Amino acid sequence: QKEVEQNSGPLSVPEGAIASLNCTYSDRGSQSFFWYRQYSGKSPELIMFIYSNGDKEDGRFTAQLNKASQYVSLLIRDSQPSDSATYLCAVRNSGTYKYIFGTGTRLKVLA
Amino acid sequence: GAGVSQSPSNKVTEKGKDVELRCDPISGHTALYWYRQSLGQGLEFLIYFQGNSAPDKSGLPSDRFSAERTGGSVSTLTIQRTQQEDSAVYLCASSLVLAGASGELFFGEGSRLTVL
């Protein structure tokens, strides 16, 4: 079992729709969870981080964390073509500063 | 510098040669990371350094890979006797480790390695 798992996609959504990206992790003691966006040929950049169970909203983005189910998700409301990118889930292992990334989900927002 | 700086941006080498990749982190960031990203794949953890602690080398794929960080700042990733499967983008990131900090990783632009 991979430490951090994501569906590779592509996930295609029409412009204006909600995109839902999912991630599961294996280390039950993990404390910190991150979503990065990576445009083709570019480096990853942070979108959101979440530490506590529940939802965290920032503009069009909402991160959701369920530690009991070892599940973290990212919702993008009012999706725009400029949101088309690969979204990487990252988990910081408990007791370390080591970050493990999933393989990423490729999102396509269709105009 | 303002961001994480990596060099070279592109490196083409012949199988069996050694290569060195350099990373200059953001000033003041105590944590430094190396990741590898093959075409269309996610980020594969290689190694990280945090302050004066022993580095976590658990992701290095073989003993041909090594890394050092001098003076708590610049890091060099060395790949000896390169193989074609080493071809990838090598990404360096740094982070501020401080109570209350988010833990965000700031990435450099990467070093693209091609082994012929």
Side-chain angles (χ1 to χ4, degrees):
Chain A
Q1 181 191 6
K2 290 184 181 177
E3 293 185 69
V4 179
E5 294 207 50
Q6 296 181 254
N7 189 318
S8 61
L11 172 67
S12 296
V13 299
E15 184 175 358
I18 295 175
S20 178
L21 304 162
N22 304 314
C23 172
T24 58
Y25 60 94
S26 61
D27 182 357
R28 186 169 287 279
S30 297
Q31 298 291 321
S32 309
F33 307 87
F34 302 80
W35 283 100
Y36 285 82
R37 177 176 62 200
Q38 186 176 29
Y39 291 114
S40 181
K42 300 295 186 181
S43 296
E45 55 182 351
L46 183 71
I47 296 179
M48 290 193 70
F49 60 90
I50 186 167
Y51 302 151
S52 304
N53 274 330
D55 294 0
K56 179 182 179 182
E57 187 175 318
D58 183 1
R60 296 186 297 114
F61 299 95
T62 298
Q64 299 176 318
L65 175 60
N66 184 326
K67 288 186 179 180
S69 299
Q70 295 174 242
Y71 177 94
V72 57
S73 64
L74 179 69
L75 301 178
I76 306 175
R77 289 181 299 281
D78 188 24
S79 296
Q80 301 297 309
S82 57
D83 295 326
S84 297
T86 296
Y87 289 79
L88 298 161
C89 173
V91 176
R92 194 171 96 184
N93 281 14
S94 51
T96 78
Y97 295 101
K98 179 178 175 179
Y99 296 79
I100 301 299
F101 284 78
T103 54
T105 297
R106 191 155 66 98
L107 173 67
K108 288 184 175 180
V109 180
L110 308 172
Chain B
V4 177
S5 177
Q6 291 188 246
S7 62
S9 54
N10 277 288
K11 176 72 175 179
V12 179
T13 190
E14 293 179 347
K15 178 181 172 181
K17 301 281 190 183
D18 297 352
V19 296
E20 286 189 349
L21 308 176
R22 175 189 164 104
C23 174
D24 196 347
I26 293 173
S27 178
H29 281 192
T30 57
L32 185 148
Y33 302 79
W34 285 99
Y35 288 87
R36 177 168 72 174
Q37 188 170 35
S38 301
L39 190 63
Q41 301 298 309
L43 273 65
E44 177 188 3
F45 170 80
L46 298 177
I47 186 171
Y48 87 88
F49 301 85
Q50 163 49 22
N52 295 321
S53 302
D56 181 334
K57 305 179 182 180
S58 60
L60 295 178
S62 77
D63 58 8
R64 296 187 296 106
F65 289 73
S66 63
E68 62 176 18
R69 187 179 187 191
T70 53
S73 181
V74 172
S75 177
T76 302
L77 177 68
T78 301
I79 309 172
Q80 295 179 310
R81 306 180 302 281
T82 52
Q83 303 294 312
Q84 288 182 331
E85 60 263 29
D86 299 334
S87 297
V89 176
Y90 289 80
L91 288 165
C92 176
S94 69
S95 178
L96 180 63
V97 176
L98 200 64
S102 68
E104 177 179 0
L105 296 182
F106 294 83
F107 286 87
E109 292 299 311
S111 291
R112 181 178 297 277
L113 174 65
T114 303
V115 182
L116 301 177

